[in-house]
Amino acid sequence: MSESFPNGNSARSTRQKRALAGALARSSSFRSAQDLHAELRLRGERVGLTTVYNQLRALADTGELDVLRTDEGESLYRRCSSGQHHHHLVCRSCGMAVEVEADAVEAWAEAVARRNGFTAITHTVELTGVCPNCQ
Amino acid sequence: MSESFPNGNSARSTRQKRALAGALARSSSFRSAQDLHAELRLRGERVGLTTVYNQLRALADTGELDVLRTDEGESLYRRCSSGQHHHHLVCRSCGMAVEVEADAVEAWAEAVARRNGFTAITHTVELTGVCPNCQ
DNA sequence: GATCTTATTTGCAATGATTACCACTATTGA
DNA sequence: TCAATAGTGGTAATCATTGCAAATAAGATC
Ligand SMILES: [Mn+2]
Ligand SMILES: [Mn+2]
Ligand SMILES: [Zn+2]
Ligand SMILES: [Zn+2]
């Protein structure tokens, strides 16, 4: 008996995945799918837009990428260094992001929610501004 | 000299505006445009979906309504009692919301941003959970 | 290396909320 | 009453994102 992947677990290494991973690795900004796809095309990498969307979604689902949504509803992705829970201070001009921790905020959120009898709490905390370079 | 409205300022009272205002007034939940439009139709009020969208956007622009976006990208509106800056603890099941203040968080956000040299700072802080009624 | 299984890729057609148009209607000041 | 124009709302267009189904290609097995 040699069931290849009983639990539906696999993962093939493809040219497209590597190209996208590269683009994400060399960027410290939050990027959109369209944006990343455009960069790959410029680099001569031939990757379908649908593939970029698929992969970004998959990577975000497994927690390998952080996601945030612009006011216009566009999803932006970034590979964060910290695997820990954290938040971001993002430049609204270039997308550059700084990872920040906020233990105090975590505690506050938990307390407020509990005080009001809410359960299954989650929170969103994002800081936006203009970075030093973009002033 | 009797220039009616030099700075483009006016505001007419219409049946549609009153109907929408009413729906918003009697709800303490964040509601979508579609949702509000559906309610108006049920009530027998004849209001176009486009009008609902137009008005909600206009009211949000003037700060008369608070807006937040779901993970699916849908905009939800609510008429908040406080005109002051505040945040929300929202039930992800029924949309019911509690207004919360967070001076500590305000200070933290300001400090973090300044420490990193960011300017023109804004912040997003939303708490989501399941309210007592929906458990 | 040949072969097979199926994970991935990808062009193209939906989706779905929101907006642009714009001709038509109705409020309000005179 | 009447003109000026804010407001309305049906319909078409936008646009990021997803569904689909056929074509491609890892990589395990022979
Ligand atoms: Mn947190
Ligand atoms: Mn605040
Ligand atoms: Zn910047
Ligand atoms: Zn609830």
Side-chain angles (χ1 to χ4, degrees):
Chain A
M1 28 203 71
S2 58
E3 287 193 6
S4 308
F5 293 104
N7 311 334
N9 216 353
S10 74
R12 295 176 182 177
S13 173
T14 68
R15 172 176 59 75
Q16 293 88 337
K17 284 183 182 176
R18 283 189 296 275
L20 180 58
L24 287 166
R26 78 177 75 93
S27 171
S28 67
S29 303
F30 272 92
R31 315 277 298 279
S32 69
Q34 311 267 355
D35 185 18
L36 287 164
H37 178 249
E39 177 182 321
L40 293 181
R41 290 202 63 188
L42 278 179
R43 290 214 158 213
E45 307 275 7
R46 197 176 315 289
V47 181
L49 178 57
T50 300
T51 297
V52 173
Y53 271 107
N54 283 340
Q55 285 308 318
L56 288 176
R57 184 151 46 100
L59 291 171
D61 285 345
T62 63
E64 294 178 66
L65 290 182
D66 278 10
V67 195
L68 64 80
R69 309 196 46 143
T70 66
D71 292 332
E72 294 78 38
E74 195 175 24
S75 291
L76 304 181
Y77 302 83
R78 178 180 192 266
R79 207 191 69 181
C80 284
S81 49
S82 167
Q84 307 305 312
H85 172 79
H86 61 273
H87 298 281
H88 304 101
L89 170 55
V90 186
C91 174
R92 95 178 97 256
S93 175
C94 69
M96 193 272 281
V98 178
E99 300 170 32
V100 299
E101 309 220 347
D103 298 334
V105 177
E106 311 295 328
W108 167 81
E110 194 65 32
V112 169
R114 191 167 301 162
R115 182 185 317 146
N116 291 89
F118 278 58
T119 56
I121 304 152
T122 63
H123 63 266
T124 300
V125 175
E126 296 294 342
L127 306 182
T128 305
V130 180
C131 79
N133 288 330
C134 291
Q135 317 229 339
Chain B
M1 33 197 68
S2 60
E3 289 193 6
S4 309
F5 293 104
N7 313 335
N9 218 353
S10 74
R12 294 178 182 176
S13 173
T14 67
R15 172 176 57 77
Q16 293 88 337
K17 284 184 183 177
R18 284 189 296 276
L20 181 56
L24 287 166
R26 79 177 72 94
S27 171
S28 67
S29 302
F30 272 92
R31 315 276 299 279
S32 69
Q34 313 267 356
D35 185 19
L36 287 163
H37 179 249
E39 178 183 321
L40 293 180
R41 291 202 62 189
L42 277 179
R43 290 212 158 215
E45 307 276 8
R46 198 175 314 290
V47 182
L49 177 58
T50 299
T51 297
V52 174
Y53 271 108
N54 284 340
Q55 286 307 319
L56 289 176
R57 184 150 46 101
L59 292 171
D61 285 346
T62 63
E64 294 177 65
L65 289 182
D66 278 9
V67 194
L68 64 80
R69 309 196 44 144
T70 66
D71 291 333
E72 294 77 39
E74 196 176 24
S75 291
L76 304 181
Y77 302 83
R78 177 179 192 267
R79 206 190 72 182
C80 284
S81 50
S82 167
Q84 307 303 313
H85 171 78
H86 61 272
H87 298 279
H88 303 101
L89 170 56
V90 186
C91 174
R92 94 177 99 255
S93 174
C94 68
M96 192 271 280
V98 178
E99 300 171 31
V100 299
E101 309 220 348
D103 299 333
V105 177
E106 309 295 326
W108 166 81
E110 194 66 31
V112 169
R114 191 167 301 161
R115 181 184 317 146
N116 291 90
F118 278 58
T119 57
I121 304 152
T122 63
H123 62 266
T124 301
V125 175
E126 297 294 344
L127 305 183
T128 306
V130 181
C131 79
N133 288 331
C134 291
Q135 315 229 340

